[in-house]
Amino acid sequence: MKAGSSRQAGRRRPQQQRSRLTVDTVLDAVAVVLARHGPDAVTTNRICEAAGVSIGSLYQYFPDKQAIYRALHQRHVDEVGRVIERALAEREHASLEDFACALTRDLVDVHTADPELHRLVTALVPEGPAGFRAALHETFEQVIPPTDDAKQRMLFVLPNLVESLVHGLTQPLGFISLPSASAEAVRTVRVYLASLRG
């Protein structure tokens, strides 16, 4: 999930505050259209209508709808990066178990803020989960002690485990509430790490 991995060529980069505001307004409008009309009805015209911008203004920054989805994905990548950096800074002296559980909880919050939008963007920018796993691998590599014999196994299991649990919570949950599912995801990470001690 490298910061530049999803940046697309051909999209004008907003330089002034007003331009950045227009871009953010367009990106925010996607969620509005999605909530009102569903995923099949997300069109540039509806996005413009919800954002209150002209189609010409939209095309100044986004050559097509895919560019909008890529920008949404990049915004999500940046937010996940901030969550990871904050977790590393705030829990510098925490145990691996406490760090991994807190990070999982924070990442669940980010991913489930608007699960329908997340599902739409993931479907249209499919490299997202692989990038997320790579970012998690890099993060856990920093916090697992180098002397731990199980480090390589943990570096295989933890990024895949956390990625699948977090992304799984963006899917319709049906019979279980989001708070219960979130707590179960955190418990699963804790149980895995606790099992390595004994």
Side-chain angles (χ1 to χ4, degrees):
M1 194 165 325
K2 302 297 183 189
S5 63
S6 296
R7 297 194 192 277
Q8 63 282 359
R11 192 183 118 198
R12 181 175 151 196
R13 309 308 292 168
Q15 299 301 320
Q16 299 176 344
Q17 184 175 355
R18 185 173 172 185
S19 298
R20 286 194 294 272
L21 182 60
T22 300
V23 167
D24 286 340
T25 301
V26 167
L27 296 180
D28 291 341
V30 176
V32 173
V33 174
L34 186 61
R36 286 182 188 162
H37 305 288
D40 294 334
V42 178
T43 64
T44 51
N45 285 333
R46 281 200 171 111
I47 292 169
C48 287
E49 182 183 333
V53 302
S54 69
I55 196 76
S57 293
L58 182 142
Y59 283 131
Q60 283 183 349
Y61 303 103
F62 303 101
D64 54 32
K65 199 163 59 170
Q66 187 64 23
I68 296 172
Y69 293 133
R70 289 199 169 277
L72 282 165
H73 176 257
Q74 187 58 50
R75 185 160 76 170
H76 174 67
V77 167
D78 294 342
E79 187 177 9
V80 167
R82 287 190 295 272
V83 167
I84 289 173
E85 287 172 14
R86 188 171 62 243
L88 286 168
E90 290 176 354
R91 299 175 182 92
E92 185 179 357
H93 302 295
S95 68
L96 173 61
E97 194 173 306
D98 288 343
F99 170 80
C101 290
L103 179 61
T104 301
R105 193 176 303 108
D106 292 345
L107 290 170
V108 165
D109 290 344
V110 168
H111 283 79
T112 59
D114 190 339
E116 191 175 12
L117 179 63
H118 188 275
R119 288 195 300 272
L120 177 66
V121 172
T122 300
L124 296 165
V125 187
E127 63 268 23
F132 186 34
R133 279 192 302 277
L136 289 169
H137 187 280
E138 186 178 315
T139 301
F140 286 122
E141 196 166 33
Q142 294 178 58
V143 297
I144 298 172
T147 54
D148 197 315
D149 292 338
K151 180 168 184 170
Q152 292 310 311
R153 281 182 313 202
M154 281 191 277
L155 284 175
F156 168 71
V157 173
L158 270 175
N160 286 290
L161 178 63
V162 173
E163 182 272 322
S164 63
L165 288 168
V166 169
H167 280 156
L169 288 171
T170 67
Q171 304 304 311
L173 298 175
F175 62 91
I176 187 170
S177 70
L178 179 57
S180 295
S182 176
E184 194 64 18
V186 172
R187 189 182 76 83
T188 300
V189 172
R190 189 175 296 283
V191 166
Y192 165 69
L193 288 169
S195 74
L196 299 176
R197 294 199 305 265

